[in-house]
Amino acid sequence: MGKRAKMMGEEKIPKILIKLALPGIVAMLVNAVYNIVDTMFVGMLNNTSAIAAVSVAFPMFIMIAAFGQMFGVGAGSYISRLLGEKNKIMADRTTSTTFFTSLVCGIGFVLFGTIFLESLLRLFGATDTIMPFAKEYSRILVYGSVFTVMNMTLNNMIRAEGNAKFSMFAISLGAGLNIILDPIFMFTFNMGIKGAALATVLAQIISFIFLICYFISGKSYIKISTKYFIFSKKIYSEIMRIGIATFARQALSSLALGLINLAAKPYGDAAVASMGITLRVLSLGIFVVFGYNQGFQPIAGYNYGAKQFERLKEAIKVSLKWTTVFCLIITVLFMSFSESIISAFSNDPQVIAIGAKTLRAVILLFPLFGFQQVYASLFQALGRGVESLILSLSRQGIFLIPAILILPKIFGLNGVIFSQTVADFFTIIITAILAIKMHIGLKKEMN
């Protein structure tokens, strides 16, 4: 840990950003590729309703992930700051308390999801033709949700201690196994869409075993043990102060995706399928930025906790430049090849037409997505829960939900297609305002 502390506090910022961000980028990119390949395999069933079922189930998967991210990101932010302050005992207590709490939460979601499965699928836009496929697919995902929650919690805590490489291996292992198992269960065992869900759950279980062994074997610096578990108001408040913003973002994203499906529902299964395909494709760009920020966040948190403000400012500047260049490249590529990209998932002309138009719409303001997300991660890293919550609520809630509810009534399907673009526009403005205020605050702290 001494080497990791020296790396976080002394190594050149561009070098350490690459070192910590690259594993996160690889891991998230593998995850994005899995999401895309999974959808492509389902597309091979030549059934638009089956593809739409995956789109309907996606908001539920996002909701499951929200709990894991809430505990993982909240604890990760606090742990990285505690390590920067050299408070090892409190870091261990936070790690253990988070682990056991998220375990209970994951089990609770299994029970809730099993009881209310059909109601949730209706809420997320399932039609009568989509429902049989959606239930087959989602029921298995719900049974394995405890592993999804635990994996996200453990991965974030491992990154908080500076071991992003191990986290990358764990995520890549799960996604890689998923890609391998998909065709085996779906086509070799002739399980169809149910096989895709089973492959996901088995991969999550193996990934969990890999992650927990990291702590059991003593390789981790921070520890998980029942002796460190405490009902601490301080720990829970710190976790929730940051984690609740992440949960709100994920939960609102789940709700927004459900509303998009509901808004697309009157235009047929092809419209619902198109929305799902577009989101999976866009995840290639989104997940890379998320992966980068997994490396940026602990660096920002550590140097802020250590009062090394110049290093913090440099990390922000470099991150803004790199993510903006990447997002601009993705925008150009997706704009240029939208029809070809969507046609890789479906041969339905209606799906291709709607999907290509949607992809071009959601990518319009993507060049500034890095700007949004760097500051969202920065506020989490600095423990600024209010700002983090505002940004989390903006893109997927405050602006997107009203856009989905209002625009389709005025512009029909075009209103559905451009709702995310409208939400991004207003989120960019809010991000700029909060960023200016934060830099003014940092100047005061430096003085």
Side-chain angles (χ1 to χ4, degrees):
M1 189 61 200
K3 291 181 180 178
R4 291 177 192 168
K6 185 176 181 180
M7 174 184 71
M8 300 278 268
E10 298 179 19
E11 202 164 290
K12 289 184 178 179
I13 290 296
K15 185 177 179 181
I16 188 178
L17 277 171
I18 292 172
K19 188 179 290 186
L20 290 190
L22 194 57
I25 291 171
V26 171
M28 294 300 286
L29 190 56
V30 169
N31 233 348
V33 169
Y34 148 67
N35 281 328
I36 289 171
V37 172
D38 193 50
T39 306
M40 290 177 73
F41 279 130
V42 174
M44 291 177 188
L45 297 173
N46 293 319
N47 189 321
T48 298
S49 295
I51 301 174
V54 175
S55 301
V56 168
F58 195 46
M60 182 180 294
F61 193 77
I62 295 293
M63 182 62 75
I64 294 168
F67 288 96
Q69 290 286 67
M70 176 178 70
F71 290 114
V73 172
S77 172
Y78 189 37
I79 289 167
S80 64
R81 281 179 279 131
L82 288 170
L83 294 177
E85 296 166 5
K86 307 296 189 292
N87 192 343
K88 171 67 164 56
I89 293 175
M90 197 62 172
D92 288 341
R93 288 175 177 169
T94 302
T95 304
S96 299
T97 301
T98 302
F99 174 82
F100 291 111
T101 304
S102 62
L103 177 61
V104 172
C105 183
I107 294 171
F109 194 92
V110 173
L111 297 173
F112 177 81
T114 302
I115 295 169
F116 298 104
L117 180 62
E118 187 164 341
S119 298
L120 288 170
L121 292 174
R122 289 286 181 195
L123 178 66
F124 294 142
T127 63
D128 290 337
T129 52
I130 293 172
M131 181 61 76
F133 298 100
K135 285 175 73 174
E136 264 193 310
Y137 185 73
S138 302
R139 185 178 288 111
I140 296 173
L141 288 181
V142 168
Y143 292 157
S145 59
V146 63
F147 298 103
T148 303
V149 172
M150 296 308 300
N151 288 347
M152 292 194 168
T153 301
L154 291 171
N155 269 307
N156 276 285
M157 294 195 297
I158 290 171
R159 282 194 294 268
E161 72 167 25
N163 198 350
K165 188 178 290 186
F166 190 90
S167 175
M168 175 195 73
F169 287 145
I171 295 173
S172 299
L173 173 66
L177 283 171
N178 208 332
I179 293 170
I180 294 169
L181 293 173
D182 260 342
I184 295 173
F185 286 120
M186 290 180 69
F187 305 115
T188 305
F189 295 155
N190 201 29
M191 295 178 70
I193 196 170
K194 188 187 294 184
L198 185 59
T200 298
V201 172
L202 285 177
Q204 289 285 347
I205 291 171
I206 294 170
S207 184
F208 171 75
I209 293 170
F210 187 69
L211 286 165
I212 199 64
C213 283
Y214 174 77
F215 289 93
I216 294 173
S217 64
K219 292 180 181 178
S220 64
Y221 179 68
I222 52 177
K223 305 299 178 185
I224 292 176
S225 173
T226 52
K227 70 180 181 181
Y228 292 125
F229 176 82
I230 54 173
F231 283 102
S232 167
K233 183 179 177 181
K234 172 65 175 174
I235 290 175
Y236 282 122
S237 64
E238 287 290 341
I239 292 172
M240 290 300 115
R241 189 155 62 96
I242 299 302
I244 200 67
T246 301
F247 177 80
R249 183 184 70 236
Q250 293 277 87
L252 282 170
S253 177
S254 175
L255 176 60
L257 290 174
L259 289 173
I260 287 173
N261 289 334
L262 285 171
K265 187 174 173 180
Y267 305 97
D269 290 1
V272 177
S274 299
M275 298 302 156
I277 291 171
T278 302
L279 290 170
R280 297 298 176 100
V281 171
L282 188 61
S283 70
L284 268 176
I286 289 174
F287 278 26
V288 169
V289 176
F290 285 170
Y292 176 85
N293 283 335
Q294 288 172 4
F296 165 70
Q297 187 171 318
I299 295 169
Y302 184 95
N303 284 285
Y304 180 73
K307 306 298 182 185
Q308 298 192 51
F309 296 114
E310 289 301 323
R311 288 177 59 80
L312 174 61
K313 286 169 64 179
E314 185 182 358
I316 297 169
K317 184 178 179 181
V318 172
S319 297
L320 287 172
K321 182 171 74 174
W322 288 356
T323 55
T324 300
V325 170
F326 169 77
C327 289
L328 186 58
I329 292 170
I330 289 294
T331 300
V332 172
L333 289 174
F334 283 6
M335 278 284 190
S336 302
F337 303 103
S338 55
E339 283 88 358
S340 300
I341 292 170
I342 301 300
S343 64
F345 298 87
S346 175
N347 56 10
D348 185 331
Q350 194 176 3
V351 172
I352 295 170
I354 298 172
K357 187 174 184 178
T358 305
L359 183 58
R360 286 193 293 268
V362 298
I363 208 72
L364 276 174
L365 295 177
F366 195 71
L368 292 172
F369 182 75
F371 168 70
Q372 292 178 35
Q373 294 305 312
V374 164
Y375 277 102
S377 292
L378 180 62
F379 291 133
Q380 290 176 346
L382 304 189
R384 301 194 178 191
V386 175
E387 292 93 335
S388 180
L389 181 61
I390 291 171
L391 284 188
S392 296
L393 293 176
S394 295
R395 186 173 186 268
Q396 299 298 135
I398 295 172
F399 300 122
L400 180 57
I401 291 175
I404 296 169
L405 294 174
I406 296 169
L407 295 180
K409 293 179 180 178
I410 303 172
F411 302 106
L413 183 57
N414 283 332
V416 183
I417 290 172
F418 284 92
S419 57
Q420 185 64 72
T421 309
V422 172
D424 281 340
F425 174 77
F426 289 107
T427 302
I428 290 165
I429 295 173
I430 294 295
T431 304
I433 293 170
L434 293 177
I436 292 169
K437 289 181 67 177
M438 186 218 67
H439 283 290
I440 293 172
L442 278 179
K443 282 184 179 180
K444 290 179 179 178
E445 287 190 55
M446 291 173 68
N447 296 329

